[in-house]
Amino acid sequence: MQLAEQHTSVLIIGAGPSGLIMAAQLLRHGVQPVIIDSKQGPTDQSKALAVQARSLEIYRQMGIVDRALQGGTQANAMVLNQDGKKVSLLSLTDVGRQQTLFPFVHLYQQSKNERLLLDYLTVNCCPVYWDTTLVSLTQTTQQVEVELRSGTEPTTLTCDYVVGADGASSTVRKKLNIPFTGDTYANEFFLADLELNNEELTGTQLELYWGKAGMSAFFPLPERNSYRVIGNLPKASEGKTDLQLAEMLPHLNTLTGMDIKVVHENWFSTYKLHHRMADKFRLQRCFLVGDAAHIHSPVGGQGMNTGLQDAYNLAWKLAGVVNGQLKETVLNSYAAERMPVAKTLLDTTDRLFRFIISTNWFMVFFRKWIMSNASRLIWKSEGFRAAFFKRLSQIGISYRDSIINLNLSNAKNIKAGDRLPYLKVFDEKKQEETDLHEWCSKPGFTLIVLGKLQEFDLFTLAKWITQNYTTGLNFFYLPPSEKNESVFEAFEISEGRKKALIIRPDLHIGFINDVVDIEMMDNYLVNVLGLNKAVS
């Protein structure tokens, strides 16, 4: 399909998960982007596998989570094996109980994620222009001009903004001359998607193997008896360009203590792993998201999910600016919020990955004799499991230091910048159970008032919203009741007190105050966030 447009508000380069979610979120917020990709079509390879709870919360907000849940599978345990023997079984069933509607690790291949998002774009009349390559990019303070090539046909397009979601070898990043700082791990690894006939594998557990020969992991796929298998190549196999799965099986048999029986090989590949991060996530009118901005080891299944959250963070801000609802200064908060997240993730996964693959005698000793026993004891702690899940699922990511948040509350646990906690509420007006995330499912910001208000105060709030923020601020009110005690306890609201929260479109708390003060909320929305008032 040939690109007919001569100008677009937002051009997205790359139609992987990060680019597709970027387009989908812009559509939710009323902006029609153009999205291109140099590939011939969507990937048919499984690639990234884990969809963490935070990503499922995004899908729920978009109304597509049920399909993702139906098409995937949940891992109910993580099994640690040393020298072919099981040493520890750590249950993952409801490990994040009461923290999210999705308290589990969900396995749903990247190819399925892409199809899910592509279908969302199709429903909203937003095509992907495949086989279209970025040739050149120049930008001024007013716009970006790009030259694209579709087949043999060149096209010039002007854009208000460009989002580079074009992967680790990002052309956008290279055209902008942004350094991609980091390194490559010395070891070589393999990845295979296999249908196996091994009774030792339950199809519901993540199996991790360590031994003198190295490490390997088996991740169950939704399809019957199918697994994602990853691991390091033995030294004798490193550097071989035509390595076949059959050559790897003796190594895997030794490492796992199994006689691995392959029914069908769907995919086998060898590769090297990198850990790198762009020095900038934004340069004037161009932005980087996902692998174009940062790549790291696959430990914890964080890569694709981090890219989805990059786009989720940027899209509402970009849409607000394009639609004239937000001042352009809000765009400065994207890199300020997401770069520390990427840096922390890079450091954490790097340390953990080096520990896993290390052949140092002390590390081998520690993994074999100390870690396996310690893990069983530590896992018994509910507090540790909760903290582990919060990090793994990415629901613990906070932007407390962001310049577009304002914390006026004395509460110790929940502050501006935090993700809005998942809390069930009983809607007294509708006489039904819901939750705070469901209240924030509509595009735009959401004002939530907790505590008893008089009718006149409610009328005054409604009038203020109607006159000033008709399209940008949804409103919910929760008076105290016996059924909602847990909500008031979570927000540390004592009897007779109130609390006002303004939730950003990405489900993070932008504003929190221990009083309901219209002047203070107005100051936050206009002066801190940069939201433009409605013109009467």
Side-chain angles (χ1 to χ4, degrees):
M1 180 169 29
Q2 291 292 324
L3 184 65
E5 287 88 342
Q6 294 181 327
H7 178 83
T8 183
S9 54
V10 182
L11 171 65
I12 302 167
I13 300 175
S18 299
L20 293 171
I21 196 74
M22 185 77 206
Q25 288 294 317
L26 287 172
L27 288 167
R28 281 191 76 240
H29 294 289
V31 171
Q32 184 84 18
V34 168
I35 178 168
I36 69 168
D37 197 292
S38 59
K39 300 192 302 292
Q40 298 297 315
T43 182
D44 58 357
Q45 298 174 339
S46 58
K47 294 189 176 182
L49 185 59
V51 182
Q52 303 293 359
R54 189 69 180 104
S55 299
L56 292 173
E57 289 178 350
I58 298 172
Y59 285 177
R60 183 193 183 204
Q61 195 182 46
M62 296 169 63
I64 59 176
V65 72
D66 288 344
R67 182 173 157 189
L69 293 175
Q70 292 165 4
T73 188
Q74 296 175 23
N76 63 24
M78 180 166 55
V79 183
L80 308 183
N81 301 273
Q82 181 75 39
D83 295 325
K85 297 180 181 179
K86 184 186 298 183
V87 294
S88 186
L89 187 149
L90 311 177
S91 174
L92 296 175
T93 302
D94 288 343
V95 68
R97 184 168 49 89
Q98 297 180 343
Q99 297 187 68
T100 175
L101 184 60
F102 312 104
F104 44 77
V105 177
H106 190 61
L107 304 176
Y108 186 65
Q109 300 98 311
Q110 178 175 326
S111 54
K112 292 184 178 180
N113 279 278
E114 291 187 14
R115 176 49 58 192
L116 179 70
L117 294 168
L118 279 167
D119 288 350
Y120 184 94
L121 298 193
T122 300
V123 169
N124 288 277
C125 302
C126 180
V128 174
Y129 294 92
W130 300 106
D131 191 27
T132 304
T133 306
L134 174 67
V135 177
S136 66
L137 179 154
T138 57
Q139 59 177 328
T140 67
T141 56
Q142 300 299 316
Q143 66 177 17
V144 186
E145 183 175 301
V146 299
E147 182 186 344
L148 308 175
R149 185 170 298 278
S150 179
T152 59
E153 295 297 320
T155 303
T156 299
L157 183 70
T158 58
C159 328
D160 295 328
Y161 298 96
V162 169
V163 178
D166 48 343
S169 300
S170 171
T171 303
V172 175
R173 189 186 64 243
K174 292 174 182 176
K175 296 293 183 185
L176 296 172
N177 294 316
I178 297 176
F180 204 33
T181 307
D183 206 351
T184 301
Y185 293 105
N187 309 69
E188 282 192 65
F189 300 85
F190 72 90
L191 182 153
D193 282 355
L194 307 172
E195 182 183 345
L196 302 177
N197 183 24
N198 282 84
E199 294 180 356
E200 302 95 328
L201 299 171
T202 65
T204 59
Q205 299 174 345
L206 308 179
E207 298 276 355
L208 308 181
Y209 295 91
W210 282 288
K212 293 180 181 178
M215 59 77 60
S216 183
F218 286 63
F219 300 89
L221 298 174
E223 291 71 30
R224 180 176 172 81
N225 296 328
S226 295
Y227 296 85
R228 158 71 54 79
V229 184
I230 63 173
N232 68 292
L233 295 183
K235 289 294 182 182
S237 298
E238 289 188 353
K240 294 186 66 174
T241 56
D242 57 347
L243 189 67
Q244 301 297 311
L245 173 65
E247 299 174 66
M248 287 299 303
L249 289 181
H251 167 72
L252 274 177
N253 290 343
T254 301
L255 184 60
T256 63
M258 291 187 292
D259 178 18
I260 297 174
K261 302 170 183 174
V262 179
V263 177
H264 183 70
E265 174 188 334
N266 295 311
W267 185 28
F268 178 79
S269 179
T270 61
Y271 58 100
K272 282 207 166 190
L273 288 170
H274 312 269
H275 50 113
R276 299 180 184 275
M277 179 172 157
D279 288 5
K280 297 177 181 178
F281 282 16
R282 179 193 181 187
L283 185 60
Q284 294 177 267
R285 291 178 168 269
C286 296
F287 301 84
L288 301 176
V289 299
D291 286 355
H294 47 79
I295 54 172
H296 41 79
S297 84
V299 171
Q302 302 292 289
M304 179 178 67
N305 296 275
T306 306
L308 292 176
Q309 288 198 54
D310 287 344
Y312 188 50
N313 180 286
L314 175 61
W316 67 267
K317 300 169 183 177
L318 202 52
V321 172
V322 169
N323 288 331
Q325 296 170 335
L326 289 168
K327 293 181 174 62
E328 194 172 15
T329 52
V330 75
L331 297 177
N332 296 330
S333 67
Y334 166 64
E337 291 181 348
R338 294 304 297 173
M339 286 188 76
V341 172
K343 179 67 166 60
T344 300
L345 180 62
L346 218 67
D347 292 344
T348 303
T349 56
D350 182 53
R351 288 195 300 269
L352 185 55
F353 190 66
R354 290 185 186 278
F355 168 74
I356 290 172
I357 65 175
S358 175
T359 56
N360 175 276
W361 71 268
F362 177 76
M363 291 299 187
V364 174
F365 174 84
F366 185 89
R367 289 196 302 259
K368 184 172 182 178
W369 300 107
I370 299 176
M371 188 187 76
S372 58
N373 293 316
S375 63
R376 288 194 298 267
L377 293 174
I378 295 173
W379 201 254
K380 292 179 180 178
S381 165
E382 186 173 344
F384 177 83
R385 293 198 305 273
F388 169 84
F389 181 79
K390 185 174 287 188
R391 179 176 286 270
L392 177 72
S393 64
Q394 301 196 355
I395 63 174
I397 290 173
S398 178
Y399 308 129
R400 287 187 177 183
D401 296 329
S402 177
I403 58 172
I404 62 168
N405 299 325
L406 183 59
N407 190 87
L408 299 176
S409 171
N410 292 319
K412 296 179 180 178
N413 297 323
I414 301 174
K415 297 181 180 294
D418 292 349
R419 158 190 165 270
L420 178 69
Y422 172 77
L423 295 169
K424 292 182 178 180
V425 297
F426 184 78
D427 191 320
E428 300 283 359
K429 184 177 180 180
K430 295 183 177 179
Q431 287 294 297
E432 63 183 23
E433 188 178 83
T434 182
D435 59 79
L436 294 182
H437 285 196
E438 180 65 24
W439 276 0
C440 301
S441 59
K442 293 181 179 180
F445 296 84
T446 304
L447 169 62
I448 299 176
V449 173
L450 306 174
K452 180 64 177 176
L453 292 182
Q454 300 300 320
E455 274 195 42
F456 177 77
D457 296 325
L458 281 171
F459 172 78
T460 303
L461 268 177
K463 183 179 179 181
W464 167 67
I465 293 170
T466 302
Q467 291 180 343
N468 297 281
Y469 306 104
T470 45
T471 60
L473 190 60
N474 306 302
F475 175 48
F476 289 88
Y477 166 55
L478 187 69
S481 68
E482 185 176 335
K483 292 183 178 180
N484 290 313
E485 283 183 3
S486 59
V487 179
F488 284 76
E489 288 174 1
F491 282 98
E492 302 170 58
I493 304 173
S494 56
E495 187 175 352
R497 308 296 294 179
K498 306 176 186 66
K499 188 153 292 189
L501 302 95
I502 297 177
I503 313 304
R504 302 172 4 171
D506 59 3
L507 287 178
H508 282 264
I509 300 170
F511 170 90
I512 186 168
N513 195 3
D514 292 334
V515 296
V516 183
D517 188 303
I518 288 178
E519 187 175 344
M520 289 182 178
M521 291 189 290
D522 214 42
N523 172 66
Y524 166 70
L525 291 169
V526 175
N527 298 320
V528 178
L529 181 63
L531 188 65
N532 293 317
K533 287 188 175 183
V535 179
S536 56

